Amino acid sequence: MSDQLRGKIAIGMIWAAALFSLSVLILIIAYILIRGLPQVSLSFLLESPTDLGRSGGIFPAILGTLVLGLGALVIAVPLGIGSAIYLTEYTYPSRLTSIIRFGTESLAGVPSIIFGLFGFIFFVSYLKMSWSILAGSLTLALMILPTIIRTAEEAIRAVPQSYREVSFGMGATRWQMVTTVVLPTALPGILTGIILAFGRAVGETAAVIFTAGTALNIPISVFSPVRTMAVHFYILAVEGISLEKAYATGAVLIITVLLINIGANMLITRAVVRTGRK
Amino acid sequence: MSEYISIKNLSVRFGSVEALKNVDLEIPRNQITTVFGPANSGKTVLMRAINRMIELSPTLQRSGDITINGESIFRPEVDVAVLRRRVSMVFALPTPLPMSIYENVIYGLRLMGEKNREKLDAQVEYGLEAAALWNEVRNRLHDPALSLSGGQQQRLCLARSLALDPDILLLDAPTAALDPISTAQIEETMIELKSRYTIILVPHNFHQGARVADRAAFFLGGECIEVGTVSQIFTAPRDSRTEDYVSGRFG
């Protein structure tokens, strides 16, 4: 077999693999949108469910999803970026940093149901938060923390060393160097990680079903229980309440995640263009 | 000759690597002193010692002293931030920060907390003017600095240092990455600047040192072999190693 032929076969196989992955994704999204979208209307988005979700809308679940996701970010983003800055700018590689890094990596591999169980035992029962936005957000925050730390760390490491030298050379303190040069330069990468994490939090079921509850009411405080769209979907489908409404919820969830991704991408592109990096 | 910067028996080690060995060097005010020698001879470490950038390395061991105007830069009450603004460094590769031209020039002033628009505008014009870049960028100050050509970027870095009104400029092979025309512009600028600043130049090659400098110091293996006026060092070196190097026998 000639090298050229071998190359052509390889390209063909790579193409097929890419095509297969893409079509599976499109198939899933299309299936849910085709089954779900016809049920989605303005009233479905803005009304509360009635009869356990058999009829009415999913407004409380949309609200619950966004509030839990944002709550998780509010907790995890400062912790995650702080840890990443500490690991990259304030320590030299040592046994301690490798232990921390090993810890965060292990945390990333823990199944979300374990986080849910831990959240239930620790936040809900032991700290007596009961099923609530607070307990759910804290649990989600723990779950997405490794993603945020890892991506922020990588983005910060990718900042050219020469920027740090220049900053110190102009008389910057370490903290000034971090805030004026490192963080602005790493921002697009850090934002990407945050978006990824938010996507995971928004679509999460197992970690929140035990910690935020399944209440269908509109939450009034961080101590109120809420139901997320993913949990709503799960309950509607598993308990055979309404498959139509389940698919409609799934469609709204997918569109929400897509919108967040598109919005974030636009934000990141703007940030990159402003500094003149290609 | 009034010594301005005085390096006394300075030795610097990074872990097991000996970068500078018992260096003694006097640098006069308002002149260009070129520090030259082959790779790894300690030139850059010497520069980074004068603004204490070497202290960013965790394995640093230092002995000996450096004084500016008779005062040690290693005294505990010296604020390194103030020192580094007074002794400003331009690096070998153009290193504009990923922000606008304007923001690059006032970067040091911003770190100092300067907010007065007029002062900032004035320093931007002063810095860019002194670095011979003002006419080329005056109408596009808010463009990204990375949109400039390599030679312009390096002059921008020079402007960024000059905007701080330093006393001493450390130029570490500032033309190493530039074309001959940009190099000539930077060299002219250096000669114009020496009336206001004391300049220490690690040249891109020793011919550059011979072209622009007043005094020269030859370094080899972390030691200062010989110091003198440029004409003496390049035409009548006393040390055979200096002679071998300037006549091109090694390096």
Side-chain angles (χ1 to χ4, degrees), chain A residues 215-230:
Chain A
L216 272 171
N217 305 324
I218 291 178
I220 46 169
S221 82
V222 292
F223 298 107
S224 310
V226 284
R227 179 187 286 198
T228 67
M229 283 191 267

Side-chain angles (χ1 to χ4, degrees), chain B residues 2 26 38 41 60 76 95 104 143 152 163 171 186-188 196-197 219:
Chain B
S2 64
E26 307 285 337
S41 55
L60 168 78
T95 49
N104 259 281
D143 284 6
Q152 289 174 324
L171 308 179
I186 298 251
E187 287 180 7
E188 265 173 55
R196 277 173 283 170
Y197 306 97
F219 273 66

Side-chain angles (χ1 to χ4, degrees), chain B residues 65-77:
Chain B
D65 199 5
I66 298 176
T67 61
I68 297 177
N69 255 346
E71 301 207 313
S72 169
I73 63 168
F74 298 112
R75 282 172 302 146
E77 66 267 29

Side-chain angles (χ1 to χ4, degrees), chain A residues 92 162-163 165-172 174 176-177 180-181 185 273-278, chain B residues 48 53 56-58 81 84-85 88 91 95-99 107-108 111 144 146 160-161 164:
Chain A
Y92 296 103
S162 61
Y163 291 2
E165 298 250 310
V166 167
S167 187
F168 280 128
M170 302 301 284
R174 193 166 282 271
Q176 282 180 317
M177 184 274 289
T180 59
V181 173
T185 311
V273 167
R274 207 188 41 207
T275 57
R277 271 168 296 142
K278 267 106 217 166
Chain B
R48 294 169 66 91
M53 290 279 278
L56 297 176
S57 166
R84 286 176 189 160
R85 287 177 192 130
S88 197
F91 298 86
T95 49
L97 295 172
M99 24 179 114
Y107 180 71
L111 292 176
L146 293 170
R160 186 171 59 196
S161 285
L164 282 169

